[in-house]
Each structure stands twice: as C-alpha cells, then as structure tokens.
Amino acid sequence: MSFLETVPEVRHPAPGVALLCAPESRYKRALCELHFDRPLDRPAPARTLLCPILEQGTRRHPTRMHLTRALEDLYGASAHFDSDRVAEMQRVSLELSWVGERFLPPADAGGGRVAAGILSLAMELLEDPVRGAGAPFPAETFARERDQLLRRIRSLRDDRQAYATERFLALLCAGEPLGRPPYGTEEEVLALTAEDVEAARRELLEQAPVTAVAVGPLDPAQIERHLASWLGAGGAHAGARRAALPPPVLVTPQRLREEREDLPVDQARFFFGFRFHPPAGPEELEALTLANGVLGGGAHGRLFRRVREERSLAYGIYSTIRAKKGILTVEAGIDAGAYEEVRDEVLAQVELMARGAFEDAELEMARANVLNDLHGLQDSAAALSHFYTRELNLGFLRAPAQRAAQLQRVRRDEVAAAAAGWQADLVYLLAGTRQPVEVA
C-alpha cells in the first residue's frame, strides 16, 4: 500500500500568518483554505452570523448573482465561508477552489490569472463587503440572515441527534469553552446588531491568527505574495496583533456523573464521556487512535460487536476522540430501558482495553482501517488539506507516509496504556419516557 510522502512547506507571509503549501499536480483543482481562529467567547455568535452575510456581496459585486458571474468568469472557481469549533476555539474558514492551469484554454493558462482572481476576490469578500445605507450591512440582508440563524437554533430540538450532541457537550464541559456552541443561544442572536457583526469582521482581520492550507496544482510563491501584500507589513493590517490562543482547558474527573433529559423520541440517545491527557507526541497519538479504533471505531469495534451484535442493547454504537481536548465519547442509539446495561458494558470494555484484554486481530483491523484512510488521501485535495490542517492543530506536521509508518510501529502494550488513561466523567441519556434509571 502506497502513501503520499509530501510534507507541506511552511511559510510565514506575515506575523501570525502561516501558509502550508503542498503542490500536487495529481489533482485537477487547487484548494486554499484560510482559517481565522478566535476563542469560543461572547462574540462567537456574531462571527457565525458574519459568514452568510459576507457571501451576499461586495462593493464591486453587490449581489450573489454578481459574485456567481465573477466565479464563472474564473472557470467555475468557488468561495465559501464556514464557522465551526475546533478543540476550544472558533474557526472561521474561507475555502477557495479553482481549476488547475493545465486544464485551462491556452489564453488563460500560465501566469496564474485564475488563481490571482480568486485570491483577490477572497480579500474583497472580507475587506469590502456590500454596505447598507448608513449601516455596516444592508438592513434586509442582516435581518434575513439573523432570522435564518434563529430558525437553525430553534429547530435544534427537532433534530434529536444534534440536540443530544449539544446537550452532552454542554453538560460534559460546563464552564469550559467547548461547552458553548459557536452559534450561541437564541437570546444572544436576538441581541446582535449589525455593528456587532462588523466588529467581529474587523476582529478577524486584525486579531485572529491565520492558517492558510494550499493543496493541488498551484504556485506557493503566488499565494505567499498575495497574503503578504494583504496581511503583511505593506497591507492594511500591518499592525495586527495575532496572538496565539490559549491551550484547551484540561479536566480530571472527580466522580462519574449521570444526567438524563426527557423529550419525545423514537430512540433514546446515549453518550458517555471520558477524559484523558492529550498525547504529547505522535507516537502517543497513534496509540490513542488505535485504542479508540479497537474500542468503537466501527462495526469491527468491541462495543459494536458486544453491545449491538451479541447483546442487542443498541441500534448502533461507536466511539470518537477529540485528541487535543482530551475527550473520548461513546455514542449510541438505545432503548431507554437498556441504559444501565449499556453504561456498565461500556465501562467493562474500557477496563478490558486498559488490561490489554483484546485480540491481536482486533488491533490489526483497527490499524488497517486507519491505513486505508491514509492511502485514500491521494484521491482528494480536500481530504489531504484536512489531513494537514489536523496535523498542524495537533502540533505535528507529517506526511501521510510518515504517519503510516508510526501507526505500523505501535505495539499492543502502548494501545493498552492509552486506554488506561481514559477516566469516566459523564453519562448522558436523552429519553422519551421515564424509566427506573438511577442518576447521581
């Protein structure tokens, strides 16, 4: 099995701005993702609302139709904003994509005209949005997008899975930034003004550390020059202070907490949160990855086979890790009456994992699944970009081939040691009817 050996080059076109470049001619389209990172704090809802507002137009391209035509003139380039939480920070991202020069007509191939065009449009979207009459944004645009965000928040209860996920995080990480959704509460969004959103825009440009990840058929020097002229010494934000964000809050559980919430549901949602100390290096990370894979990384995992297949206690069950935050989550759809059995079985399987009581075949299946994912990175520029972004977030910067080699060296005793660090913190159940479940 072959793996990409490309280690992205890291450039620094401006203070607080990092550019990761991985030129790859195998892809038809180039991809450049601009990530602006801020804490999950009070202005987070304003940043969330900012994203759809910025997509409505600029001074030069005052409507979505004008923006669409500009992107079509760049041979189907694309530009899209998004907001999400990563570890304990809010990340506002602008994803840019364009066709590689070798696929363009001769008149437009060479010279990087299309790349220059989409990079300039990206700057325009952030720096020169369409304005309202005496207001930062058109009143109709602001009201429409704020109402859309309110509908999203109000409808969360209708999506029981999404609602349960947010409630679990809020309870597990009460008082921690991760417990706060980046879009905020209904009351916070109702209180937002256009001036709040404009302040969030300026804050991103003047205070947020920026990471640009560029993958595909592109010229790194061209992207570096553009970012330097925009965010560097000669740009409008030459004096920007882009301080690194604080590390995630780490918590050691004092006891196992249990919480239950009742809403009409067809299937109860079960979440079990464990804490662990984040891995100090790539070797510990890969041991943790494989431990999670053996426990609940898919249909081959111990939880799926034992809880669902053998005992018929769950409709589905799996586990995931937030490595930088130090949280392992077991998630399942169950009958509420099986709560105690599922809880106890999860605890039993974690204990067995910590004692190394798992088969070599289980470990090798978990290893093969991760290696298959790494092998598949060569098929997608987006997947490779996300891989490098994750690497940087974790403090590593490896080629897929380097990570594969480290995965293959992980021993079963290292996997058991990783599982031994999991400390039970919170069990949360979203159920439809009251069952005789004792909670602390």
Side-chain angles (χ1 to χ4, degrees):
M1 188 179 296
S2 62
F3 305 96
L4 286 174
E5 298 184 359
T6 304
V7 178
E9 178 186 0
V10 181
R11 304 185 180 199
H12 296 279
V17 180
L19 170 62
L20 279 67
C21 291
E24 283 286 350
S25 60
R26 70 180 66 230
Y27 304 121
K28 293 182 179 180
R29 295 181 70 88
L31 179 68
C32 181
E33 295 178 306
L34 302 174
H35 303 301
F36 299 80
D37 295 333
R38 298 303 296 146
L40 274 168
D41 54 9
R42 188 185 60 80
R47 299 185 202 109
T48 301
L49 182 55
L50 175 68
C51 291
I53 288 178
L54 290 180
E55 290 183 339
Q56 303 310 307
T58 70
R59 183 175 56 83
R60 291 182 62 243
H61 303 90
T63 68
R64 289 185 67 92
M65 179 62 73
H66 288 91
L67 286 175
T68 298
R69 289 173 179 168
L71 292 169
E72 288 176 350
D73 288 343
L74 296 172
Y75 296 94
S78 65
H80 176 66
F81 284 96
D82 190 26
S83 170
D84 202 357
R85 55 185 162 201
V86 177
E88 284 195 333
M89 63 187 180
Q90 182 181 23
R91 170 162 288 173
V92 173
S93 301
L94 175 56
E95 180 181 300
L96 310 171
S97 176
W98 63 95
V99 176
E101 288 191 359
R102 72 179 188 276
F103 299 102
L104 297 176
D108 287 300
R113 185 188 74 83
V114 172
I118 188 62
L119 290 169
S120 295
L121 184 59
M123 182 175 69
E124 186 180 327
L125 286 165
L126 279 158
E127 294 283 0
D128 199 13
V130 63
R131 299 301 190 178
F137 306 103
E140 181 181 357
T141 297
F142 176 80
R144 182 184 67 243
E145 296 305 328
R146 187 177 66 171
D147 287 347
Q148 181 65 21
L149 181 55
L150 286 169
R151 283 192 290 271
R152 172 185 167 188
I153 294 172
R154 290 165 179 164
S155 66
L156 186 63
R157 280 184 174 236
D158 298 329
D159 184 341
R160 294 294 194 254
Q161 184 63 33
Y163 175 80
T165 300
E166 287 298 339
R167 288 294 298 144
F168 166 71
L169 287 175
L171 292 166
L172 177 70
C173 301
E176 303 169 48
L178 185 61
R180 173 190 177 89
Y183 46 80
T185 66
E186 182 176 343
E187 293 73 21
E188 288 174 324
V189 174
L190 279 170
L192 286 177
T193 65
E195 288 72 21
D196 294 328
V197 178
E198 171 64 8
R201 184 191 70 85
R202 293 196 305 268
E203 180 200 42
L204 286 181
L205 290 168
E206 296 169 4
Q207 298 181 36
V210 181
T211 303
V213 183
V215 174
L218 48 81
D219 178 5
Q222 181 183 25
I223 299 175
E224 182 181 25
R225 287 194 301 270
H226 182 88
L227 292 177
S229 64
W230 176 18
L231 302 171
H237 307 286
R241 298 180 179 180
R242 306 182 189 279
L245 301 187
V249 176
L250 303 182
V251 172
T252 300
Q254 301 303 309
R255 60 181 179 85
L256 176 60
R257 299 173 289 151
E258 299 183 68
E259 297 282 352
R260 174 177 173 140
E261 190 170 356
D262 292 289
L263 284 176
V265 293
D266 295 327
Q267 180 186 117
R269 269 65 174 190
F270 172 95
F271 288 81
F272 201 146
F274 294 78
R275 304 277 189 159
F276 58 84
H277 197 278
E283 295 80 8
E284 290 184 17
L285 172 64
E286 302 314 335
L288 175 66
T289 299
L290 293 180
N292 175 67
V294 173
L295 177 69
H300 65 281
R302 297 177 67 85
L303 290 177
F304 190 91
R305 290 185 290 107
R306 176 63 175 164
V307 177
R308 183 188 187 279
E309 298 296 303
E310 297 178 17
R311 300 188 61 188
S312 298
L313 295 175
Y315 302 100
I317 185 167
Y318 58 92
S319 62
T320 57
I321 54 173
R322 295 174 184 260
K324 192 169 184 177
K325 173 63 176 169
I327 291 176
L328 176 136
T329 300
V330 175
E331 182 178 344
I334 67 172
D335 288 328
Y339 166 81
E340 290 183 346
E341 291 180 274
V342 175
R343 176 200 63 196
D344 294 346
E345 188 63 52
V346 171
L347 286 168
Q349 291 302 321
V350 168
E351 182 181 352
L352 289 170
M353 287 285 303
R355 292 196 279 112
F358 52 88
E359 302 296 328
D360 288 342
E362 295 177 285
L363 175 57
E364 295 313 314
M365 178 63 73
R367 198 191 315 265
N369 278 356
V370 183
L371 292 174
N372 284 337
D373 289 342
L374 289 174
H375 174 70
L377 292 176
Q378 56 194 318
D379 299 328
S380 167
L384 187 59
S385 176
H386 296 162
F387 171 83
Y388 288 135
T389 301
R390 177 179 180 269
E391 285 286 298
L392 189 67
N393 290 341
L394 291 170
F396 317 129
L397 200 53
R398 300 168 292 178
Q402 291 173 324
R403 187 182 175 201
Q406 289 170 339
L407 271 162
Q408 290 166 328
R409 291 195 295 267
V410 175
R411 306 185 308 272
R412 60 176 296 115
D413 62 312
E414 294 171 320
V415 173
W422 297 337
Q423 298 173 283
D425 190 349
L426 173 73
V427 191
Y428 169 74
L429 182 71
L430 177 66
T433 57
R434 273 289 166 185
Q435 299 290 338
V437 177
E438 295 183 4
V439 297

